[in-house]
Amino acid sequence: MILGIGTDLANIERIQGTLDRFGDRFKNRVFTDEEKRKSESRKDIAGTYAKRWAAKEACSKALGTGLAMGIAWKDMSVSNLRTGQPVMHVTGWAKDRLAAMTPDGHEAIVHVTLTDDHPWAQAFVVIEARPVSARG
């Protein structure tokens, strides 16, 4: 069953302007060390940060909170599998919120997809609850 859906569209040029103006202060407030390493290693640094920004916004919407109720930017982060597929991780209050919205007997799966086409970066997050199979 679907527990939540969120989407966000971020302007890469706006993120570039924020990076230019606030630099490490912005990066350290919003992104995990892994997200910063990934973004800084890419040719399109601002585009990579913008996709992760959009993913955090989309995840907060899928959690039903937006960026309110105690959720922190770093409570949501994106990494990539070796195949390049993005993976959303939740910690802290976001993890607590996910647990609270997951029905008994189910496990929550957070799906995320990212795309960009300059000057836009977009993310979709779908939170799914799957029944936990009985293990014998």
Side-chain angles (χ1 to χ4, degrees), residues 40-102:
E40 296 293 329
S41 73
R42 301 297 299 260
K43 181 178 179 183
D44 182 9
I45 293 171
T48 305
Y49 276 119
K51 285 187 281 191
R52 278 150 176 74
W53 170 279
K56 291 168 187 278
E57 289 273 8
C59 185
S60 71
K61 293 170 186 174
L63 289 168
T65 65
L67 286 164
M69 298 173 61
I71 201 166
W73 287 106
K74 289 184 181 181
D75 284 349
M76 303 161 290
S77 65
V78 177
S79 67
N80 295 85
L81 299 177
R82 288 180 183 249
T83 60
Q85 177 184 348
V87 178
M88 177 65 70
H89 307 276
V90 293
T91 58
W93 194 92
K95 184 177 180 180
D96 295 344
R97 170 69 181 152
L98 182 61
M101 63 191 285
T102 303

Side-chain angles (χ1 to χ4, degrees), residues 14-23 26-27 45-46 49:
R14 179 175 162 255
I15 296 296
Q16 180 65 64
T18 303
L19 290 167
D20 292 343
R21 185 168 179 197
F22 297 105
F26 169 65
K27 293 176 198 175
I45 293 171
Y49 276 119

